[in-house]
Amino acid sequence: MAEGSVTTLTSEIKTFAAGHGGAKAVIEYVGKRGARIVLVGEDGEWSDQFAKDTGMAREACEGAGVAVENEWERELLEQMRPSNDLWRSMARRSMAR
């Protein structure tokens, strides 16, 4: 999962931000897997990318001109619009428990 270069990652983040009226990012450390960059577009759509470490993730976001939030703020969470597929996926997981 943690593949690619900073240049490729920066390009993917720029593309997402351009397609969604801008974006903000939250970087999450995921151990040996690296770092997860959760991108939240201004239109509420979201996506994620993976980097080999948090330094690479921050560098890619900075290069793409995307602000990195220090944590999940209430306003950012409220801005997110989960897709219907995600709701179905989450329902299956909770019902399976």
Coordinates of all heavy atoms in Angstrom, one line a residue:
M1 N 0.8 -1.2 0.0 CA 0.0 0.0 0.0 C 0.9 1.3 0.0 O 0.5 2.3 -0.6 CB -0.9 0.0 1.2 CG -2.1 -0.9 1.1 SD -3.1 -0.5 2.6 CE -4.7 -0.7 1.8
A2 N 1.9 1.3 0.7 CA 2.8 2.5 0.8 C 3.8 2.5 -0.3 O 4.9 2.4 -0.1 CB 3.5 2.5 2.2
E3 N 3.2 2.7 -1.6 CA 4.1 2.7 -2.7 C 4.1 4.1 -3.3 O 3.4 5.0 -3.0 CB 3.5 1.8 -3.8 CG 3.5 0.3 -3.3 CD 2.8 -0.5 -4.4 OE1 2.8 -0.2 -5.6 OE2 2.3 -1.6 -4.0
G4 N 5.0 4.3 -4.3 CA 5.0 5.5 -5.1 C 6.0 6.6 -4.5 O 6.5 6.4 -3.4
S5 N 6.1 7.6 -5.3 CA 7.0 8.7 -4.9 C 6.2 9.9 -4.4 O 5.0 9.9 -4.5 CB 7.8 9.1 -6.1 OG 7.0 9.7 -7.1
V6 N 6.9 10.8 -3.8 CA 6.3 12.1 -3.4 C 5.6 12.8 -4.5 O 4.5 13.3 -4.4 CB 7.3 13.0 -2.7 CG1 6.7 14.3 -2.3 CG2 7.8 12.3 -1.4
T7 N 6.3 12.8 -5.7 CA 5.8 13.4 -6.9 C 4.4 12.8 -7.3 O 3.5 13.6 -7.6 CB 6.8 13.3 -8.0 OG1 8.0 13.8 -7.6 CG2 6.3 14.1 -9.2
T8 N 4.4 11.5 -7.3 CA 3.1 10.8 -7.7 C 2.0 11.1 -6.7 O 0.9 11.5 -7.1 CB 3.3 9.3 -7.8 OG1 4.4 9.1 -8.8 CG2 2.1 8.6 -8.2
L9 N 2.3 11.0 -5.5 CA 1.4 11.3 -4.4 C 0.9 12.7 -4.4 O -0.3 13.0 -4.3 CB 2.0 11.0 -3.0 CG 1.1 10.9 -1.8 CD1 0.0 9.9 -2.0 CD2 2.0 10.5 -0.6
T10 N 1.8 13.7 -4.6 CA 1.5 15.1 -4.8 C 0.5 15.3 -5.9 O -0.5 16.0 -5.8 CB 2.7 16.0 -5.0 OG1 3.6 15.8 -3.8 CG2 2.4 17.4 -5.1
S11 N 0.8 14.7 -7.0 CA -0.1 14.8 -8.2 C -1.5 14.3 -7.9 O -2.5 14.9 -8.3 CB 0.5 14.0 -9.4 OG -0.3 14.0 -10.5
E12 N -1.6 13.1 -7.3 CA -2.9 12.5 -6.9 C -3.7 13.4 -6.0 O -4.9 13.6 -6.1 CB -2.7 11.1 -6.4 CG -2.2 10.1 -7.4 CD -1.8 8.8 -6.8 OE1 -1.9 8.6 -5.6 OE2 -1.5 7.9 -7.6
I13 N -3.0 14.0 -5.0 CA -3.7 14.9 -4.1 C -4.1 16.2 -4.8 O -5.3 16.6 -4.6 CB -2.7 15.3 -2.9 CG1 -2.5 14.0 -2.1 CG2 -3.3 16.4 -2.0 CD1 -1.3 14.1 -1.1
K14 N -3.3 16.7 -5.7 CA -3.7 17.9 -6.5 C -4.9 17.6 -7.3 O -5.8 18.5 -7.4 CB -2.6 18.4 -7.4 CG -1.5 19.2 -6.8 CD -0.5 19.7 -7.8 CE 0.6 20.4 -7.2 NZ 1.6 20.8 -8.2
T15 N -5.0 16.5 -7.9 CA -6.1 16.1 -8.8 C -7.4 16.0 -8.0 O -8.4 16.5 -8.4 CB -5.8 14.7 -9.5 OG1 -4.6 14.9 -10.3 CG2 -7.0 14.3 -10.3
F16 N -7.3 15.4 -6.8 CA -8.5 15.3 -5.9 C -8.9 16.7 -5.5 O -10.1 17.0 -5.6 CB -8.2 14.5 -4.7 CG -9.4 14.4 -3.7 CD1 -10.4 13.5 -3.9 CD2 -9.5 15.3 -2.7 CE1 -11.5 13.4 -3.1 CE2 -10.6 15.3 -1.9 CZ -11.6 14.3 -2.1
A17 N -8.0 17.5 -5.1 CA -8.4 18.9 -4.6 C -9.0 19.7 -5.7 O -10.0 20.4 -5.5 CB -7.2 19.6 -4.0
A18 N -8.4 19.6 -6.9 CA -9.0 20.3 -8.1 C -10.4 19.9 -8.5 O -11.2 20.7 -8.8 CB -8.0 20.2 -9.3
G19 N -10.6 18.6 -8.3 CA -11.9 18.1 -8.7 C -13.0 18.3 -7.6 O -14.2 18.0 -7.9
H20 N -12.6 18.8 -6.5 CA -13.6 18.9 -5.4 C -13.6 20.3 -4.7 O -14.0 20.5 -3.6 CB -13.4 17.8 -4.3 CG -13.6 16.5 -4.9 ND1 -14.8 15.9 -5.1 CD2 -12.7 15.5 -5.4 CE1 -14.7 14.7 -5.6 NE2 -13.4 14.5 -5.8
G21 N -13.1 21.3 -5.5 CA -13.2 22.7 -5.0 C -12.2 23.0 -3.9 O -12.4 23.9 -3.1
G22 N -11.1 22.2 -3.8 CA -10.1 22.4 -2.7 C -10.3 21.2 -1.7 O -11.2 20.4 -1.8
A23 N -9.4 21.1 -0.8 CA -9.4 20.0 0.1 C -8.6 20.3 1.4 O -7.7 21.2 1.4 CB -8.9 18.7 -0.5
K24 N -8.8 19.5 2.4 CA -8.0 19.5 3.6 C -7.6 18.1 3.9 O -8.3 17.2 3.4 CB -8.9 20.0 4.8 CG -9.2 21.5 4.7 CD -10.0 22.0 5.9 CE -10.4 23.4 5.7 NZ -11.3 23.8 6.7
A25 N -6.6 17.9 4.6 CA -6.1 16.5 4.9 C -5.9 16.3 6.3 O -5.6 17.2 7.1 CB -4.8 16.3 4.1
V26 N -6.0 15.0 6.7 CA -5.7 14.6 8.1 C -4.7 13.4 7.8 O -5.0 12.5 7.0 CB -6.9 14.1 8.9 CG1 -6.5 13.5 10.2 CG2 -7.9 15.3 9.1
I27 N -3.6 13.4 8.5 CA -2.6 12.3 8.3 C -2.6 11.4 9.5 O -2.5 11.9 10.6 CB -1.2 12.9 8.1 CG1 -1.2 13.7 6.8 CG2 -0.1 11.8 8.0 CD1 0.1 14.5 6.5
E28 N -2.8 10.1 9.3 CA -2.9 9.2 10.4 C -1.7 8.2 10.2 O -1.5 7.6 9.2 CB -4.2 8.4 10.3 CG -5.4 9.3 10.4 CD -6.7 8.5 10.1 OE1 -6.7 7.5 9.5 OE2 -7.7 9.0 10.6
Y29 N -1.0 8.0 11.3 CA 0.1 7.0 11.3 C -0.5 5.6 11.4 O -1.4 5.4 12.3 CB 1.0 7.3 12.5 CG 2.1 6.2 12.7 CD1 3.1 6.1 11.8 CD2 2.0 5.4 13.8 CE1 4.1 5.2 12.0 CE2 3.0 4.4 14.0 CZ 4.1 4.3 13.1 OH 5.0 3.4 13.3
V30 N -0.1 4.7 10.6 CA -0.7 3.3 10.6 C 0.4 2.3 10.7 O 0.3 1.2 10.1 CB -1.6 3.1 9.3 CG1 -2.9 3.8 9.4 CG2 -0.9 3.4 8.0
G31 N 1.4 2.6 11.6 CA 2.4 1.6 11.9 C 3.3 1.3 10.7 O 3.7 2.2 9.9
K32 N 3.6 0.0 10.6 CA 4.6 -0.4 9.5 C 4.0 -0.1 8.1 O 4.8 -0.1 7.2 CB 4.8 -1.9 9.6 CG 5.7 -2.3 10.8 CD 5.9 -3.8 10.9 CE 6.7 -4.1 12.1 NZ 7.0 -5.6 12.2
R33 N 2.7 0.0 8.0 CA 2.1 0.3 6.7 C 2.4 1.7 6.2 O 2.3 2.0 5.0 CB 0.6 0.1 6.7 CG 0.2 -1.3 7.1 CD -1.2 -1.5 7.3 NE -1.9 -1.6 6.0 CZ -3.2 -1.7 5.9 NH1 -4.0 -1.6 7.0 NH2 -3.8 -1.9 4.7
G34 N 2.8 2.6 7.1 CA 3.1 4.0 6.7 C 2.2 5.0 7.3 O 1.9 5.0 8.5
A35 N 1.6 5.8 6.4 CA 0.7 6.9 6.8 C -0.4 7.0 5.9 O -0.3 6.8 4.7 CB 1.5 8.2 6.9
R36 N -1.6 7.2 6.4 CA -2.8 7.3 5.6 C -3.2 8.8 5.6 O -3.2 9.5 6.6 CB -4.0 6.6 6.3 CG -5.3 6.7 5.6 CD -6.4 5.9 6.3 NE -7.6 6.0 5.6 CZ -8.8 6.0 6.2 NH1 -8.9 5.8 7.5 NH2 -9.9 6.0 5.5
I37 N -3.4 9.3 4.4 CA -3.8 10.7 4.2 C -5.3 10.7 3.8 O -5.6 10.1 2.7 CB -3.0 11.4 3.0 CG1 -1.5 11.2 3.2 CG2 -3.4 12.8 2.9 CD1 -0.7 11.5 2.0
V38 N -6.1 11.2 4.7 CA -7.5 11.3 4.4 C -7.8 12.7 3.9 O -7.5 13.7 4.6 CB -8.4 11.0 5.6 CG1 -9.9 11.1 5.3 CG2 -8.0 9.6 6.2
L39 N -8.3 12.8 2.6 CA -8.6 14.0 2.0 C -10.0 14.3 2.0 O -10.8 13.4 1.7 CB -8.1 14.0 0.5 CG -6.6 13.7 0.3 CD1 -6.4 13.4 -1.2 CD2 -5.8 14.9 0.7
V40 N -10.4 15.5 2.5 CA -11.8 15.9 2.5 C -12.0 17.1 1.6 O -11.4 18.1 1.9 CB -12.3 16.2 4.0 CG1 -13.8 16.6 4.0 CG2 -12.0 15.1 4.9
G41 N -12.8 16.9 0.5 CA -13.0 18.0 -0.4 C -14.0 19.0 0.1 O -14.8 18.7 1.0
E42 N -13.9 20.2 -0.4 CA -14.8 21.3 0.0 C -16.3 20.9 -0.3 O -17.2 21.4 0.3 CB -14.5 22.6 -0.7 CG -13.2 23.2 -0.2 CD -13.2 23.5 1.3 OE1 -14.2 24.0 1.8 OE2 -12.1 23.3 1.9
D43 N -16.5 20.0 -1.2 CA -17.9 19.5 -1.5 C -18.3 18.4 -0.7 O -19.4 17.9 -0.9 CB -18.0 19.2 -3.0 CG -17.1 18.0 -3.4 OD1 -16.3 17.5 -2.6 OD2 -17.1 17.6 -4.6
G44 N -17.5 17.9 0.3 CA -17.9 16.9 1.2 C -17.4 15.5 0.8 O -17.5 14.6 1.6
E45 N -17.0 15.3 -0.5 CA -16.5 14.0 -0.9 C -15.1 13.8 -0.2 O -14.4 14.8 0.1 CB -16.3 14.0 -2.4 CG -17.6 14.1 -3.2 CD -18.5 12.9 -3.0 OE1 -17.9 11.7 -3.0 OE2 -19.7 13.0 -2.9
W46 N -14.7 12.5 0.0 CA -13.5 12.3 0.6 C -12.8 11.1 0.0 O -13.4 10.3 -0.7 CB -13.6 12.1 2.1 CG -14.5 10.9 2.5 CD1 -15.8 10.9 2.6 CD2 -14.0 9.6 2.9 NE1 -16.2 9.6 3.0 CE2 -15.1 8.9 3.2 CE3 -12.7 9.1 3.0 CZ2 -15.0 7.5 3.6 CZ3 -12.6 7.7 3.5 CH2 -13.8 7.0 3.7
S47 N -11.5 11.0 0.2 CA -10.7 9.9 -0.4 C -9.5 9.7 0.5 O -9.3 10.5 1.4 CB -10.3 10.3 -1.8 OG -9.4 9.3 -2.3
D48 N -8.8 8.6 0.3 CA -7.5 8.5 1.0 C -6.4 8.0 0.1 O -6.6 7.4 -0.9 CB -7.7 7.6 2.3 CG -8.2 6.2 1.9 OD1 -8.4 5.9 0.8 OD2 -8.4 5.4 2.9
Q49 N -5.2 8.3 0.6 CA -4.0 7.9 -0.1 C -3.1 7.3 1.0 O -3.2 7.6 2.2 CB -3.3 9.1 -0.7 CG -4.2 9.8 -1.8 CD -4.3 9.0 -3.1 OE1 -3.4 8.2 -3.4 NE2 -5.3 9.2 -3.8
F50 N -2.1 6.6 0.6 CA -1.1 6.0 1.5 C 0.3 6.5 1.1 O 0.6 6.5 -0.1 CB -1.2 4.5 1.6 CG -2.3 4.0 2.4 CD1 -3.6 3.9 1.8 CD2 -2.2 3.8 3.7 CE1 -4.7 3.4 2.5 CE2 -3.3 3.4 4.5 CZ -4.5 3.2 3.9
A51 N 1.1 6.8 2.1 CA 2.5 7.2 1.9 C 3.4 6.2 2.8 O 2.8 5.6 3.7 CB 2.7 8.6 2.4
K52 N 4.7 6.2 2.5 CA 5.5 5.3 3.3 C 5.7 5.7 4.7 O 6.0 4.9 5.6 CB 6.8 5.0 2.6 CG 7.8 6.2 2.6 CD 9.1 5.9 2.0 CE 10.0 7.0 2.1 NZ 11.4 6.7 1.7
D53 N 5.6 7.1 5.0 CA 5.7 7.6 6.3 C 5.0 9.0 6.4 O 4.6 9.5 5.4 CB 7.1 7.7 6.8 CG 8.0 8.5 5.9 OD1 7.6 9.6 5.4 OD2 9.2 8.1 5.7
T54 N 4.9 9.5 7.7 CA 4.2 10.7 7.8 C 4.9 11.9 7.2 O 4.3 12.9 6.8 CB 3.9 11.0 9.3 OG1 5.2 11.0 10.1 CG2 3.0 10.0 9.9
G55 N 6.3 11.8 7.2 CA 7.1 12.9 6.6 C 6.8 13.0 5.1 O 6.6 14.1 4.6
M56 N 6.7 11.9 4.4 CA 6.4 11.9 3.0 C 4.9 12.4 2.8 O 4.7 13.1 1.8 CB 6.5 10.5 2.4 CG 6.2 10.3 1.0 SD 6.2 8.6 0.5 CE 6.8 8.8 -1.2
A57 N 4.0 12.0 3.7 CA 2.6 12.4 3.5 C 2.5 14.0 3.7 O 1.9 14.6 2.9 CB 1.8 11.8 4.6
R58 N 3.2 14.5 4.7 CA 3.2 16.0 4.9 C 3.8 16.7 3.7 O 3.3 17.7 3.2 CB 3.9 16.4 6.2 CG 3.1 16.0 7.4 CD 3.7 16.6 8.7 NE 2.9 16.2 9.8 CZ 1.8 16.8 10.2 NH1 1.3 17.8 9.5 NH2 1.1 16.4 11.2
E59 N 4.9 16.2 3.2 CA 5.6 16.8 2.0 C 4.7 16.8 0.8 O 4.6 17.8 0.1 CB 6.9 16.0 1.7 CG 7.7 16.6 0.6 CD 9.0 15.8 0.4 OE1 9.4 15.0 1.2 OE2 9.6 16.0 -0.7
A60 N 4.0 15.7 0.6 CA 3.1 15.6 -0.6 C 1.9 16.6 -0.4 O 1.6 17.3 -1.4 CB 2.6 14.2 -0.7
C61 N 1.4 16.7 0.8 CA 0.3 17.6 1.0 C 0.7 19.1 0.8 O 0.0 19.9 0.2 CB -0.3 17.4 2.4 SG -1.3 15.9 2.5
E62 N 1.9 19.4 1.3 CA 2.5 20.7 1.2 C 2.7 21.1 -0.3 O 2.4 22.1 -0.8 CB 3.8 20.8 2.0 CG 4.4 22.2 1.9 CD 5.7 22.3 2.7 OE1 5.7 21.8 3.9 OE2 6.6 22.9 2.2
G63 N 3.3 20.1 -1.0 CA 3.5 20.3 -2.4 C 2.2 20.5 -3.3 O 2.2 21.2 -4.3
A64 N 1.1 19.9 -2.8 CA -0.1 20.0 -3.5 C -0.9 21.2 -3.1 O -2.0 21.5 -3.6 CB -1.0 18.7 -3.2
G65 N -0.4 21.9 -2.0 CA -1.1 23.1 -1.5 C -2.4 22.7 -0.7 O -3.3 23.5 -0.6
V66 N -2.4 21.6 -0.1 CA -3.5 21.1 0.7 C -3.1 21.3 2.2 O -2.1 20.8 2.6 CB -3.9 19.7 0.4 CG1 -4.9 19.1 1.4 CG2 -4.4 19.6 -1.0
A67 N -4.0 22.0 3.0 CA -3.7 22.2 4.4 C -3.9 20.9 5.1 O -4.8 20.1 4.9 CB -4.7 23.2 4.9
V68 N -3.0 20.6 6.1 CA -3.1 19.4 6.9 C -3.6 19.9 8.3 O -3.0 20.7 9.0 CB -1.7 18.8 7.1 CG1 -1.7 17.6 8.1 CG2 -1.1 18.4 5.7
E69 N -4.7 19.2 8.7 CA -5.3 19.5 10.0 C -4.6 18.6 11.0 O -4.1 17.5 10.7 CB -6.8 19.1 10.0 CG -7.6 19.9 9.0 CD -7.8 21.3 9.4 OE1 -7.9 21.6 10.6 OE2 -7.8 22.2 8.5
N70 N -4.4 19.1 12.2 CA -3.7 18.4 13.3 C -4.5 17.2 13.8 O -3.9 16.3 14.3 CB -3.3 19.3 14.4 CG -2.2 20.3 14.0 OD1 -1.4 20.0 13.2 ND2 -2.3 21.5 14.5
E71 N -5.8 17.3 13.7 CA -6.7 16.2 14.2 C -8.0 16.4 13.6 O -8.3 17.3 12.8 CB -6.8 16.3 15.8 CG -7.3 17.6 16.3 CD -7.3 17.7 17.8 OE1 -6.3 17.2 18.4 OE2 -8.3 18.2 18.3
W72 N -8.9 15.4 13.9 CA -10.2 15.4 13.3 C -11.1 16.5 14.1 O -11.6 16.2 15.2 CB -10.9 14.1 13.4 CG -10.4 13.1 12.4 CD1 -9.5 12.1 12.6 CD2 -10.7 13.1 11.0 NE1 -9.2 11.5 11.4 CE2 -9.9 12.1 10.4 CE3 -11.5 13.9 10.2 CZ2 -10.0 11.8 9.1 CZ3 -11.5 13.6 8.8 CH2 -10.8 12.5 8.3
E73 N -11.2 17.6 13.5 CA -12.1 18.7 14.1 C -13.5 18.4 13.7 O -13.8 17.9 12.7 CB -11.6 20.1 13.5 CG -10.2 20.5 13.8 CD -10.0 20.8 15.3 OE1 -11.0 21.1 16.0 OE2 -8.8 20.7 15.7
R74 N -14.4 18.9 14.6 CA -15.8 18.7 14.4 C -16.3 19.2 13.0 O -17.1 18.6 12.3 CB -16.6 19.4 15.5 CG -18.1 19.3 15.4 CD -18.7 19.9 16.6 NE -20.2 19.8 16.4 CZ -21.0 20.2 17.3 NH1 -20.6 20.9 18.4 NH2 -22.3 20.1 17.2
E75 N -15.8 20.4 12.6 CA -16.3 21.0 11.4 C -15.9 20.2 10.2 O -16.6 20.0 9.2 CB -15.7 22.4 11.2 CG -16.2 23.4 12.2 CD -15.5 23.3 13.6 OE1 -14.4 22.7 13.7 OE2 -16.1 23.9 14.6
L76 N -14.7 19.6 10.3 CA -14.2 18.7 9.2 C -15.1 17.5 9.1 O -15.4 17.0 8.0 CB -12.7 18.4 9.3 CG -12.0 17.7 8.2 CD1 -12.1 18.6 6.9 CD2 -10.6 17.4 8.5
L77 N -15.4 16.9 10.2 CA -16.2 15.7 10.2 C -17.6 16.0 9.7 O -18.2 15.2 8.9 CB -16.3 15.1 11.6 CG -15.0 14.4 12.1 CD1 -15.2 14.1 13.6 CD2 -14.8 13.1 11.3
E78 N -18.1 17.1 10.0 CA -19.5 17.5 9.6 C -19.5 17.7 8.1 O -20.6 17.6 7.5 CB -20.0 18.7 10.4 CG -20.4 18.3 11.8 CD -20.8 19.5 12.6 OE1 -20.6 20.7 12.2 OE2 -21.3 19.3 13.7
Q79 N -18.4 18.1 7.6 CA -18.3 18.4 6.1 C -18.3 17.2 5.3 O -18.8 17.2 4.1 CB -17.0 19.2 5.9 CG -16.8 19.7 4.5 CD -15.6 20.5 4.3 OE1 -15.1 21.1 5.3 NE2 -15.0 20.5 3.1
M80 N -17.9 16.0 5.8 CA -17.8 14.8 5.1 C -19.2 14.2 4.8 O -20.1 14.2 5.6 CB -17.0 13.7 5.9 CG -15.5 14.1 6.0 SD -14.6 12.9 7.0 CE -14.4 11.6 5.8
R81 N -19.3 13.7 3.5 CA -20.5 13.1 3.1 C -20.2 11.6 2.7 O -19.7 11.4 1.6 CB -21.1 13.8 1.9 CG -21.8 15.1 2.2 CD -22.5 15.6 1.0 NE -22.0 15.0 -0.3 CZ -21.8 15.7 -1.4 NH1 -22.1 17.0 -1.4 NH2 -21.3 15.2 -2.5
P82 N -20.5 10.7 3.6 CA -20.2 9.3 3.2 C -21.1 8.9 2.1 O -22.3 9.2 2.0 CB -20.5 8.5 4.5 CG -20.5 9.5 5.6 CD -20.9 10.8 4.9
S83 N -20.6 8.0 1.2 CA -21.4 7.5 0.1 C -22.4 6.5 0.6 O -22.2 5.9 1.6 CB -20.5 6.9 -1.0 OG -19.9 5.8 -0.5
N84 N -23.4 6.2 -0.3 CA -24.3 5.1 0.1 C -23.6 3.8 0.2 O -23.9 2.9 1.1 CB -25.4 5.0 -0.9 CG -26.4 6.2 -0.8 OD1 -26.5 6.8 0.2 ND2 -27.0 6.5 -1.9
D85 N -22.6 3.5 -0.6 CA -21.8 2.3 -0.6 C -21.1 2.1 0.8 O -21.0 1.1 1.3 CB -20.8 2.2 -1.7 CG -21.5 2.0 -3.1 OD1 -22.6 1.5 -3.1 OD2 -20.8 2.4 -4.1
L86 N -20.6 3.2 1.3 CA -19.9 3.2 2.6 C -20.9 2.9 3.7 O -20.6 2.1 4.6 CB -19.2 4.5 2.8 CG -18.4 4.6 4.2 CD1 -17.3 3.5 4.2 CD2 -17.8 6.0 4.4
W87 N -22.1 3.5 3.6 CA -23.1 3.2 4.7 C -23.4 1.7 4.6 O -23.6 1.1 5.7 CB -24.3 4.1 4.5 CG -24.2 5.5 4.9 CD1 -24.3 6.6 4.1 CD2 -23.9 6.0 6.2 NE1 -24.1 7.7 4.9 CE2 -23.9 7.4 6.2 CE3 -23.7 5.3 7.5 CZ2 -23.6 8.2 7.3 CZ3 -23.5 6.1 8.6 CH2 -23.5 7.5 8.5
R88 N -23.6 1.2 3.4 CA -24.0 -0.3 3.3 C -22.8 -1.1 3.9 O -23.1 -2.1 4.6 CB -24.2 -0.6 1.9 CG -25.6 -0.3 1.4 CD -25.9 -0.8 0.0 NE -26.6 0.1 -0.7 CZ -26.1 1.0 -1.6 NH1 -24.9 0.9 -1.9 NH2 -26.9 1.9 -2.2
S89 N -21.6 -0.7 3.6 CA -20.4 -1.5 4.1 C -20.4 -1.5 5.6 O -20.1 -2.5 6.2 CB -19.2 -0.9 3.4 OG -18.0 -1.4 4.1
M90 N -20.6 -0.3 6.2 CA -20.5 -0.1 7.6 C -21.7 -0.9 8.3 O -21.5 -1.5 9.3 CB -20.6 1.3 8.0 CG -19.3 2.1 7.6 SD -19.2 3.8 8.0 CE -20.8 4.4 8.4
A91 N -22.9 -0.9 7.6 CA -24.0 -1.7 8.2 C -23.7 -3.2 8.2 O -24.0 -3.9 9.2 CB -25.2 -1.4 7.4
R92 N -23.1 -3.7 7.2 CA -22.8 -5.1 7.1 C -21.8 -5.5 8.2 O -21.9 -6.5 8.8 CB -22.2 -5.5 5.8 CG -23.2 -5.7 4.7 CD -22.6 -6.3 3.5 NE -21.6 -5.5 2.9 CZ -21.7 -4.6 1.9 NH1 -23.0 -4.4 1.5 NH2 -20.7 -3.9 1.4
R93 N -20.8 -4.6 8.4 CA -19.8 -4.9 9.5 C -20.4 -4.9 10.9 O -20.1 -5.8 11.7 CB -18.7 -3.8 9.5 CG -17.7 -4.1 8.4 CD -16.5 -3.2 8.5 NE -16.3 -2.7 7.2 CZ -15.9 -1.4 6.9 NH1 -15.7 -0.6 7.8 NH2 -15.7 -1.1 5.7
S94 N -21.3 -3.9 11.2 CA -21.9 -3.9 12.5 C -22.9 -5.0 12.7 O -23.0 -5.5 13.8 CB -22.5 -2.5 12.8 OG -23.6 -2.3 11.9
M95 N -23.6 -5.4 11.7 CA -24.6 -6.5 11.8 C -23.9 -7.8 11.9 O -24.4 -8.8 12.5 CB -25.5 -6.5 10.6 CG -26.4 -5.2 10.6 SD -27.5 -5.2 9.2 CE -28.8 -6.1 10.0
A96 N -22.6 -7.9 11.4 CA -21.9 -9.2 11.5 C -21.3 -9.4 12.9 O -20.9 -10.5 13.2 CB -20.8 -9.2 10.5
R97 N -21.3 -8.4 13.7 CA -20.7 -8.6 15.1 C -21.6 -9.2 16.0 O -22.7 -9.2 16.1 CB -20.3 -7.2 15.6 CG -19.1 -6.7 14.8 CD -18.7 -5.4 15.4 NE -17.6 -4.9 14.5 CZ -17.1 -3.7 14.7 NH1 -17.5 -2.9 15.6 NH2 -16.1 -3.3 13.9

